[in-house]
Amino acid sequence: MRQHSGIGVLDKAMVVLHAVAESPCGLADLCARTGLPRATAHRLAVGLETHRMLARDAAGLWRPGPALSELATTAGDPLLDAASTILPRLREITGESVQIYRRDGQARVCIAAVEPAAGLRDTVPVGARLPLTAGSAAKVLLAWADAEVQRSVLADAVFGERALAEVRRRGWAQSAAERAAGVASISAPIRDGGGAVVAAVSVSGPIDRMGRRPGARWAADLVAAADALHKRVHAP
């Protein structure tokens, strides 16, 4: 449920921001999602674009703008605080690269990563944007996304709805050579206090080490790490 401040234009601007955050959209979709008149939706979106709160992609669709992430860096993130403890431990258990991803529209963004001290690595830098069309983290984030986002992404994905249903059933996902040749990964969902999936924790590395079914080795450890992250973030 949206909160209302009583300041009409501010509340409408927030409705626009939340609508665009669901997935990039043009004016027609923005009006449909917000219920705002065409002129009002356009005026607010253009104003937010001027302040870099929204931006347009190559197709001319509005998406969240760079000012949002710039402002976010000044605020504490409990998940990142928890990750500083949990991710190194998971790296020691698996001996592989570990990441946390959040969904941003129809992409996923790496918000935390740790690498093994030596050996072959699957380096994903913090801030990297990767598609939701391939990889175990993509499956986790998409499996619990809204139906509109799922339909849009699945049209180009290397997996289908059946794979997402399996992820929801067992509570984790795995992949082999989906995002990059020779790379395997396994991911588990991180949930907020209300049970909604807000991020994915992943382990990735060479298929030669992890195998084509890394879940057989690491599923329990990934699920435990995701649970530990949840508990640290939402501890009373």
Side-chain angles (χ1 to χ4, degrees):
M1 180 180 294
R2 298 279 186 248
Q3 298 296 316
H4 296 281
S5 68
I7 305 172
V9 66
L10 177 60
D11 290 338
K12 290 175 182 176
M14 292 305 299
V15 168
V16 169
L17 282 173
H18 281 285
V20 173
E22 292 178 9
S23 63
C25 64
L27 183 57
D29 285 338
L30 184 60
C31 293
R33 293 179 194 178
T34 63
L36 294 172
R38 186 179 182 89
T40 301
H42 183 265
R43 184 174 67 253
L44 289 171
V46 170
L48 290 167
E49 185 180 352
T50 299
H51 289 284
R52 301 172 64 246
M53 305 296 279
L54 294 182
R56 293 185 193 248
D57 61 19
L61 303 180
W62 282 298
R63 60 175 178 78
L68 293 175
S69 58
E70 291 166 5
L71 290 171
T73 60
T74 65
D77 188 331
L79 180 55
L80 294 183
D81 292 340
S84 66
T85 298
I86 303 301
L87 295 196
R89 188 181 307 163
L90 186 58
R91 176 190 58 190
E92 295 307 312
I93 292 172
T94 63
E96 304 293 350
S97 303
V98 182
Q99 306 90 26
I100 292 179
Y101 296 94
R102 281 194 176 121
R103 184 172 72 85
D104 180 11
Q106 295 188 3
R108 52 184 167 117
V109 178
C110 179
I111 64 167
V114 294
E115 296 286 344
L120 292 173
R121 306 176 182 184
D122 175 37
T123 302
V124 179
V126 172
R129 291 178 64 87
L130 300 175
L132 286 178
T133 53
S136 64
K139 293 175 187 174
V140 165
L141 295 173
L142 196 59
W144 283 276
D146 62 70
E148 182 180 354
V149 172
Q150 288 185 7
R151 284 194 298 270
S152 178
V153 173
L154 284 174
D156 299 312
V158 300
F159 49 80
E161 169 56 37
R162 185 174 181 179
L164 299 186
E166 179 65 12
V167 171
R168 289 188 291 268
R169 183 189 67 78
R170 65 188 179 190
W172 52 270
Q174 63 184 349
S175 68
E178 284 188 4
R179 177 179 64 84
V183 175
S185 69
I186 177 171
S187 301
I190 303 170
R191 300 178 183 273
D192 65 13
V197 174
V198 294
V201 57
S202 303
V203 169
S204 58
I207 290 178
D208 290 347
R209 285 204 305 254
M210 295 188 65
R212 302 195 69 86
R213 295 184 176 276
R217 296 177 64 190
W218 306 126
D221 294 297
L222 261 292
V223 171
D227 186 56
L229 287 163
H230 167 82
K231 288 179 178 177
R232 279 185 172 267
V233 171
H234 300 287

